[in-house]
Amino acid sequence: MPPTALIAGVTGIVGNNLATHLTSKGWQVLGLARHPSSDLDGVQPIAADLLDAASVQSALSGLQPTHVFLTTWLRQSTEAENIRVNSSMVRNLLDAVSPAKSVQHVALVTGLKHYLGPFEAYGKGKLPATPFREEQGRLDIENFYYAQEDEVFAAAARDHFTWSIHRPHTIIGYALGNAMNMGVTLAVYATICRETGLPFLFPGSAAQWISLTDMTDARLLARHLLWACTTPAGRDQAFNVVNGDVFRWSWMWSRLAEWFGISPAPFSPEITPLEQQLADAAPLWRRIAQANNLLEPDLSKLISPWHTDADLGRPIEVVTDMSKSRKLGFLDYQATDDSFFDLFTTLRQRRIIP
């Protein structure tokens, strides 16, 4: 029998791309979400609310996943609430699969807030030096990523499965309605600038404009998840996951503008967040969508400007070391500008942008 993956958050950027990759490799895939889509080929949709333990237990009754992938979270107003809610989601899922004794490996996707701190203290205080490396310990601050890890570690000790933690940087990939989606957000922003003649203005800080940075393609992350759970060297380990190239936004911004056929605005040292720039753009986007027969006229279901602002507004350099994965045998590479271009092409083909 092929292995059976249970993907929590299958409708998100990570879960969607992981499901596509695993099905292409012959895996059976169970896709769990509150409102799972039925249009993922080869994926068995499972509807459950991870905050409702009884709901999860009922939905998973009789199923025997061999591998569990945790790729979802819910944003809350405070970090204390983030910890309470998101640790409960992990605990409820791992408690629900425990009775079957079928799970061999659990993979948890978190991110660089492991090093940068939670949104309440994002990029502030004493931070580890860049490039971030996995051996750098936890910050002395509450962080829901740490709480999620602890739930995985506790369940692994109880049920004797192996685990892996995956820490991507900002993820580029296809998914709609996602809480952290820079690629789609920038595609919509560039489209609005092209259609209206508004300046394509970098919304972030001078530090991000001139410093080196990196990103993570969701397709590469999917391959990394599969590698870690099927390679002995990848088990019971935490890993950074980035594309393998570095760039400056002063270069990338021009590349993105060129793809959309527009000119980038000169850099302004005054930060102009996308939340501010797009605050009144919903009616405009609806007109653009109607004029071009696009599938989603509701701007709020496409973009996450708050998250893009958080990433592009950081006052420090953020670059990530991949040596640990390289030494253990994961050698995949992805050019980040091509990650953006591939996503933009997909969005155009699926009539999300004109």
Side-chain angles (χ1 to χ4, degrees):
M1 292 290 292
T4 299
L6 171 61
I7 301 175
V10 73
T11 57
I13 295 177
V14 178
N16 186 300
N17 284 271
L18 176 61
T20 299
H21 184 57
L22 292 181
T23 56
S24 75
K25 297 298 182 181
W27 284 50
Q28 294 181 353
V29 177
L30 311 171
L32 187 149
R34 283 175 296 175
H35 306 288
S37 173
S38 59
D39 62 358
L40 281 172
D41 291 340
V43 176
Q44 179 182 336
I46 298 175
D49 181 354
L50 288 178
L51 287 175
D52 183 342
S55 163
V56 182
Q57 291 171 1
S58 175
L60 297 179
S61 177
L63 299 176
Q64 295 185 315
T66 57
H67 296 71
V68 175
F69 299 91
L70 295 151
T71 72
T72 187
W73 72 291
L74 289 175
R75 185 190 184 199
Q76 305 300 308
S77 58
T78 67
E79 192 59 19
E81 276 298 287
N82 274 328
I83 291 170
R84 184 186 67 82
V85 167
N86 290 286
S87 63
S88 294
M89 291 166 62
V90 174
R91 183 169 58 253
N92 290 342
L93 181 61
L94 297 182
D95 284 352
V97 297
S98 179
K101 304 302 179 186
S102 61
V103 175
Q104 302 169 16
H105 187 91
V106 171
L108 170 67
V109 179
T110 60
L112 295 194
K113 286 190 292 297
H114 182 92
Y115 309 107
L116 289 163
F119 287 118
E120 290 180 2
Y122 200 40
K124 300 175 183 176
K126 183 175 176 58
L127 299 173
T130 57
F132 296 139
R133 293 183 170 86
E134 294 90 344
E135 64 266 22
Q136 293 166 326
R138 294 179 175 184
L139 299 174
D140 187 20
I141 189 171
E142 289 189 330
N143 190 322
F144 82 86
Y145 283 172
Y146 307 161
Q148 287 183 310
E149 288 182 354
D150 289 343
E151 293 292 345
V152 171
F153 300 154
R158 177 190 68 199
D159 294 333
H160 309 293
F161 54 72
T162 58
W163 53 265
S164 55
I165 309 297
H166 303 257
R167 299 170 186 158
H169 198 167
T170 304
I171 300 171
I172 307 170
Y174 180 80
L176 303 180
N178 188 268
M180 299 190 294
N181 199 331
M182 180 187 287
V184 176
T185 299
L186 293 181
V188 169
Y189 175 53
T191 299
I192 288 174
C193 291
R194 187 186 63 203
E195 297 293 318
T196 62
L198 291 171
F200 186 55
L201 180 64
F202 182 73
S205 67
Q208 288 303 299
W209 183 253
I210 63 174
S211 297
L212 291 174
T213 192
D214 47 32
M215 295 183 74
T216 306
D217 190 302
R219 299 166 298 183
L220 181 139
L221 176 54
R223 298 193 295 273
H224 192 272
L225 285 159
L226 177 57
W227 167 79
C229 76
T230 56
T231 303
R235 297 169 188 163
D236 299 337
Q237 298 285 342
F239 293 105
N240 297 329
V241 193
V242 289
N243 284 344
D245 64 347
V246 294
F247 64 90
R248 304 180 200 277
W249 277 106
S250 56
W251 174 81
M252 183 67 77
W253 201 248
S254 297
R255 296 284 287 155
L256 303 187
E258 181 181 0
W259 195 93
F260 284 94
I262 57 179
S263 298
F267 175 74
S268 171
E270 181 180 348
I271 296 178
T272 311
L274 287 179
E275 271 201 309
Q276 175 184 322
Q277 294 190 57
L278 299 174
D280 301 318
L284 173 60
W285 181 257
R286 187 170 295 275
R287 291 195 297 272
I288 292 172
Q290 291 171 347
N292 293 277
N293 194 30
L294 303 182
L295 293 182
E296 184 51 75
D298 187 344
L299 186 64
S300 66
K301 294 181 180 179
L302 290 178
I303 65 172
S304 52
W306 67 271
H307 177 259
T308 299
D309 288 339
D311 274 7
L312 298 184
R314 291 179 298 209
I316 57 172
E317 176 184 80
V318 179
V319 66
T320 316
D321 183 75
M322 275 285 284
S323 296
K324 183 177 182 179
S325 290
R326 304 291 188 233
K327 290 177 180 178
L328 294 177
F330 183 81
L331 305 178
D332 284 24
Y333 164 85
Q334 170 66 47
T336 300
D337 53 343
D338 287 339
S339 294
F340 275 117
F341 302 157
D342 290 349
L343 171 62
F344 298 160
T345 299
T346 299
L347 293 173
R348 183 166 287 172
Q349 290 172 341
R350 299 190 183 189
R351 299 195 354 257
I352 305 302
I353 62 173

